[in-house]
Amino acid sequence: MATSSKVTAKSIRKVILTGGSSGLGLALAEPLLRRGDHVTLVARDPVKLAEAVHHLMGKVPGAKIDVLSLDVSGAEVEAGLATAVARMGGLDLLINSAGILREGYFEKLTEQDYRQTFDINYFGTLRTIRAALPFLKQSGRGQIVNIASMAALTGVFGYTAYCSSKYALLGFSDALRAEMKPQGIKVQVVCPPEFDSPMVDALDQTRTPENQAHTLAIPKLGVSTVVDAIMAGLDKSPFLIVPGAQTRLMAFGIRCFPGFSRWVADHRIQAAYRGPH
Ligand SMILES: NC(=O)c1ccc[n+]([C@@H]2O[C@H](COP(=O)([O-])OP(=O)(O)OC[C@H]3O[C@@H](n4cnc5c(N)ncnc54)[C@H](OP(=O)(O)O)[C@@H]3O)[C@@H](O)[C@H]2O)c1
């Protein structure tokens, strides 16, 4: 197996990575496998999972990869995870990257859009953690990383469904961190800005001009910048991982000068405004 000389049997982690067939999840799998971790990729579409394995085996020959075709918002999560953990012989790290995005004017989004977004982004993550927790406790070095978004730190035009799910995920993760720390389980949350991925390619086909104007205030990152920030954060102790120097500056501005941040955003949105009608 292609692993770094620093990797020892003890440092090799058993990892479940939801959303592992695409975008950030797929990109994160590569450095984990390179360091010798055993990774189970979780997503719904078995064809995309098979393609992901093919891609990763080409990059990291001999890598230890399993797949689990599973809907994180479905009833099979507990049984599916138990099977995946049994196959790996344990679980040390759970990364929740599975997520969806519904962008649009509030007047155009349906209640179903909100329910589906919450079912996957919030309850899907919660359900996966609940199913993984007994195994993470047995690990002795259990770790949970939830992929939220910059849209968990500030309201974004067109993201009433997405922002609310990611704000909820951030609050959940923060409270969970406090509960898990005494049990020796580390909880972290990642708030990336927009980065290149199939999710954003799809969004670009339909997004409102106001969303475009608002989100372009923060430069789009390459997925490798997000991956590098997460990999660096995994072995450190920050709860909140914000990839990209400019994003961190923006996050600081949003926290310290919220009125000014909204004023700047409102001007950008006004200039692009078309509205729902
Ligand atoms: N891209 C961005 O700019 C950006 C910015 C900030 C945060 N994020 C967050 O980063 C995470 C990854 O985004 P991405 O851009 O990499 O998206 P992506 O390329 O669309 O990948 C999403 C992954 O999640 C899986 N997935 C979706 N729904 C699922 C479900 N119900 N059960 C199991 N797996 C499911 C998808 O596979 P299947 O469809 O086959 O299930 C796919 O593997 C998401 O949580 C997203 O909200 C993205």
Side-chain angles (χ1 to χ4, degrees), residues 86-268:
R87 244 178 352 220
M88 291 194 293
L91 179 65
D92 304 303
L93 170 61
L94 169 67
I95 302 180
N96 290 298
S97 187
I100 61 162
L101 172 62
R102 298 277 177 269
E103 192 273 334
Y105 302 106
F106 172 69
E107 292 92 326
K108 299 258 166 116
L109 291 174
T110 64
E111 189 171 320
Q112 180 60 15
D113 288 321
Y114 288 82
R115 290 194 184 281
Q116 199 183 10
T117 305
F118 266 81
D119 273 351
I120 296 174
N121 294 2
Y122 179 76
F123 285 108
T125 303
L126 185 150
R127 188 173 291 129
T128 307
I129 292 171
R130 203 186 277 290
L133 202 50
F135 307 111
L136 291 169
K137 286 183 182 177
Q138 283 165 18
S139 151
R141 53 174 176 162
Q143 188 170 358
I144 298 166
V145 179
N146 293 332
I147 310 299
S149 170
M150 190 71 183
L153 303 177
T154 186
V156 179
F157 195 109
Y159 283 174
T160 51
Y162 186 69
C163 272
S164 45
S165 73
K166 294 294 187 177
Y167 266 72
L169 182 59
L170 178 59
F172 164 72
S173 305
D174 207 356
L176 188 70
R177 185 209 65 79
E179 285 195 36
M180 290 300 125
K181 191 171 165 58
Q183 301 192 51
I185 295 176
K186 184 155 92 170
V187 178
Q188 294 170 296
V189 69
V190 186
C191 288
E194 239 176 72
F195 55 83
D196 289 318
S197 81
M199 177 184 276
V200 170
D201 293 343
L203 172 68
D204 280 339
Q205 308 302 312
T206 58
R207 69 159 98 206
T208 60
E210 298 91 333
N211 174 268
Q212 176 103 30
H214 194 171
T215 53
L216 285 184
I218 308 174
K220 196 194 283 186
L221 296 181
V223 71
S224 61
T225 306
V226 182
V227 168
D228 290 349
I230 295 171
M231 290 306 291
L234 276 182
D235 295 325
K236 297 185 191 142
S237 53
F239 164 67
L240 182 65
I241 299 171
V242 180
Q246 210 171 331
T247 329
R248 284 192 287 280
L249 193 63
M250 198 86 174
F252 176 79
I254 286 165
R255 196 173 65 244
C256 298
F257 310 105
F260 178 70
S261 299
R262 288 195 186 99
W263 181 82
V264 172
D266 288 347
H267 275 74
R268 286 177 168 274

Side-chain angles (χ1 to χ4, degrees), residues 21-22 24 44-45 70-72 97 148 162 166 194-195 197:
S21 66
S22 174
L24 179 58
R44 291 166 300 186
D45 183 346
L70 181 79
D71 183 341
V72 295
S97 187
Y162 186 69
K166 294 294 187 177
E194 239 176 72
F195 55 83
S197 81

